[in-house]
Amino acid sequence: MNVADSELIEGILQKEGFLQAESINDASAIFINTCAVRDHAEAKVHSRLGNFNRIKKEKPDVIIGMLGCMAQNLKDEILENKPYVDIVLGPDSYRKLPNLINNRLKDQKHIVDTKLSRFEVYDGLFPSRKEGINAWVSIMRGCDKFCTFCIVPFTRGRERSRSPESIVQEIEQAISNGFVEITLLGQNVNSYKFNGFDFTDLLLEVSKISGLERLRYTSPHPSDVNERLLQIMADTPNICNSIHFPLQAGSNKILKRMNRTYTKDHFLHYAQMIRDIIPGVGISTDIIVGFPGETEEDFQETLDVMDQIKFDSAFTFKYSSRPYTKAIEYDDHINEDIKQERLERLIELQKEHTLIRNQELVGETVKVLVEKESKKSDKYWSGRTDSNKWVIFEKGKVNVKEIIPVRITAAHGVTLRGQIEGN
Ligand code: SAH
Ligand code: SF4
């Protein structure tokens, strides 16, 4: 999401004649786009801001700006403790950046704009994209779900969707610029709604764009996944057989306390439906350990759901208390050691499951999009399967951006090894 927002910001600045500096030392303005979802993300930004401060001490005219969710969340603290930060802009204020830079050049006052909008979707602006395979396309912004652990509804504001016309136009442009894969993005991507046109309608519409080889999306909310969506995914060849299906926790008590709006059974039922309807589907998830009040039994239920579903991959987090959220008020927070110990057990289990899922592919021939040279050797390509797994294989005569049949020969950990069919 932040990569997409940074590309949008760069697009806004380029349109007004600003250019990207060759290196941070050549820059006359430095912006950091921030995430507030966990404490760890914020800590990284604080440390980076410290580096910027050192640059500013040498070159006092450099403009320093903090953009995005942390700006929204921590503006007062920044103004008080980090006076070297000149511009603080929330996620709905990026359009103002060129003007603010010009104002800042004229006048030495700090500039803060963190007003959230009910309408801003950045229509009509084209992000400046870097790599040539996958283009991130934001289709909706904000979140109305208010999970009790999550700061996003407070930093990003209310849900709003872009018009299908502007989304299609942006995708057509990205394809004419050489991108072959599109990932539709939103905090709750499948809550997309524009004048009665829903997420599945949009997915189908986008899949028809000529030249689009692969279509992905993230992050859907489990409560808004339905049979029609899954059926369209199964029936449409360029919509990838891959779904992010964020569990968060396995026990009904914790799910309720998280305000996740589904139960363990609902989740299991839909996970099964995903596997039944979409052959060869890859399912990834997000899981939080150590949410307030999580007992060992509750945690076991998370492991139990994992055992039943055997996700292909998982993003795993220790619960982090966030300001404004309801969960911060709970009086039964879990101590750090227990969180750490649970996280380690969870990661171990997920490793086993990833290996099991990957080994199922050994001997199969799958379609792989050639994406880049392997980090290990210049004789190998790396590419992704439709189900979102990385495969490494000898280069042969194929090129980047081609979709080719690869026979999977081995599965070690998260990466697959393969051989181009016919080679
Ligand atoms: N809208 C998406 C998630 C966006 S945030 C969804 O509902 O699934 C991405 C992930 O960060 C979440 O799925 C959750 O697992 C994690 N996360 C969010 N807030 C967190 C917190 N306070 N502590 C730990 N992990 C958190
Ligand atoms: Fe956060 Fe929940 Fe909204 Fe996802 S659905 S962004 S976890 S509040």
Side-chain angles (χ1 to χ4, degrees):
M1 202 78 67
N2 269 14
V3 170
D5 267 14
S6 296
E7 291 174 342
L8 172 72
I9 294 162
E10 201 178 322
I12 293 173
L13 289 173
Q14 278 177 356
K15 201 163 147 244
E16 298 302 320
F18 292 90
L19 293 175
Q20 193 181 26
E22 294 264 317
S23 83
I24 199 164
N25 296 317
D26 302 325
S28 41
I30 306 171
F31 299 107
I32 182 160
N33 193 12
T34 62
C35 171
V37 80
R38 282 172 297 276
D39 194 42
H40 184 61
E42 288 194 353
K44 285 203 271 190
V45 172
H46 285 298
S47 123
R48 192 72 69 83
L49 283 172
N51 295 345
F52 297 172
N53 189 20
R54 279 189 284 282
I55 295 176
K56 183 135 179 163
K57 277 190 184 136
E58 281 170 31
K59 294 193 280 181
D61 289 340
V62 168
I63 296 174
I64 298 200
M66 177 162 136
L67 316 178
C69 287
M70 257 176 95
Q72 192 73 35
N73 173 30
L74 290 177
K75 56 177 182 284
D76 297 332
E77 194 214 300
I78 296 291
L79 288 177
E80 209 174 301
N81 300 327
K82 296 195 164 67
Y84 55 89
V85 177
D86 304 281
I87 295 178
V88 177
L89 272 195
D92 286 345
S93 309
Y94 303 147
R95 275 181 199 270
K96 297 180 182 147
L97 194 54
N99 252 341
L100 295 182
I101 297 174
N102 291 329
N103 289 349
R104 173 67 193 165
L105 290 172
K106 282 186 233 133
D107 165 347
Q108 290 302 301
K109 280 201 216 73
H110 287 269
I111 297 165
V112 180
D113 192 326
T114 58
K115 202 163 173 294
L116 288 170
S117 158
R118 295 186 78 85
F119 310 104
E120 180 62 274
V121 284
Y122 296 108
D123 258 355
L125 292 168
F126 290 97
S128 163
R129 299 196 164 94
K130 295 227 166 50
E131 50 122 353
I133 305 281
N134 173 74
W136 307 103
V137 176
S138 165
I139 63 160
M140 56 84 66
R141 298 179 75 87
C143 177
D144 290 349
K145 292 265 197 271
F146 289 92
C147 301
T148 59
F149 52 80
C150 185
I151 197 172
V152 169
F154 303 96
T155 57
R156 295 231 157 208
R158 299 290 59 76
E159 270 177 18
R160 59 226 114 110
S161 299
R162 283 175 69 183
S163 70
E165 293 75 27
S166 83
I167 295 169
V168 167
Q169 200 193 353
E170 185 178 329
I171 294 174
E172 284 172 344
Q173 198 195 41
I175 290 172
S176 70
N177 289 340
F179 289 87
V180 288
E181 180 181 276
I182 295 292
T183 304
L184 303 179
L185 285 181
Q187 294 297 340
N188 260 313
V189 76
N190 53 344
S191 304
Y192 176 90
K193 201 154 212 68
F194 192 90
N195 294 342
F197 199 76
D198 72 9
F199 179 67
T200 309
D201 298 329
L202 180 73
L203 208 57
L204 201 53
E205 192 64 26
V206 168
S207 72
K208 293 179 193 146
I209 298 176
S210 112
L212 176 57
E213 304 282 353
R214 284 189 166 180
L215 178 55
R216 301 182 185 277
Y217 62 90
T218 200
S219 200
H221 191 287
S223 301
D224 299 329
V225 167
N226 55 46
E227 204 172 331
R228 179 169 161 254
L229 169 65
L230 301 176
Q231 203 60 59
I232 295 279
M233 286 175 70
D235 295 345
T236 315
N238 61 351
I239 304 180
C240 289
N241 294 342
S242 156
I243 187 164
H244 188 63
F245 200 54
L247 169 66
Q248 314 299 1
S251 108
N252 284 338
K253 179 189 98 189
I254 298 295
L255 285 170
K256 190 154 201 280
R257 274 191 140 204
M258 286 179 160
N259 191 30
R260 281 300 282 183
T261 67
Y262 51 83
T263 58
K264 178 180 178 182
D265 279 350
H266 174 103
F267 193 91
L268 287 168
H269 174 76
Y270 274 85
Q272 191 54 49
M273 194 190 277
I274 293 169
R275 291 227 197 266
D276 290 345
I277 295 181
I278 311 176
V281 69
I283 310 184
S284 58
T285 197
D286 289 348
I287 302 177
I288 298 176
V289 298
F291 185 78
E294 183 188 71
T295 60
E296 175 60 27
E297 290 70 41
D298 295 320
F299 177 61
Q300 286 294 339
E301 295 215 48
T302 300
L303 300 182
D304 176 46
V305 176
M306 290 172 73
D307 269 327
Q308 293 196 50
I309 297 174
K310 295 195 176 52
F311 295 107
D312 294 78
S313 65
F315 300 93
T316 53
F317 311 105
K318 285 188 276 184
Y319 167 74
S320 164
S321 284
R322 305 315 290 134
Y324 314 116
T325 60
K326 177 119 179 52
I328 205 168
E329 294 163 16
Y330 294 154
D331 56 10
D332 42 8
H333 283 251
I334 306 296
N335 97 25
E336 238 359 80
D337 292 346
I338 296 181
K339 283 189 207 168
Q340 183 61 33
E341 185 256 342
R342 286 183 189 162
L343 182 69
E344 285 167 18
R345 283 157 67 198
L346 194 109
I347 290 173
E348 272 316 301
L349 184 63
Q350 183 53 49
K351 272 193 194 151
E352 287 172 27
H353 293 163
T354 300
L355 192 59
I356 292 172
R357 288 285 172 211
N358 285 353
Q359 279 171 343
E360 286 170 354
L361 285 177
V362 175
E364 302 268 314
T365 297
V366 290
K367 284 190 179 152
V368 173
L369 171 62
V370 184
E371 298 201 24
K372 56 189 179 192
E373 200 163 81
S374 158
K375 280 191 209 120
K376 294 217 175 81
S377 155
D378 62 4
K379 295 191 176 58
Y380 288 81
W381 289 128
S382 277
R384 267 181 305 162
T385 65
D386 204 285
S387 61
N388 210 15
K389 294 173 195 280
W390 284 97
V391 188
I392 296 175
F393 50 95
E394 250 177 79
K395 280 186 174 171
K397 291 197 180 64
V398 300
N399 285 312
V400 165
K401 293 189 193 174
E402 283 179 41
I403 295 183
I404 47 152
V406 173
R407 196 166 51 80
I408 304 302
T409 52
H412 312 287
V414 288
T415 314
L416 299 165
R417 294 252 165 195
Q419 214 165 29
I420 303 174
E421 192 81 317
N423 259 30

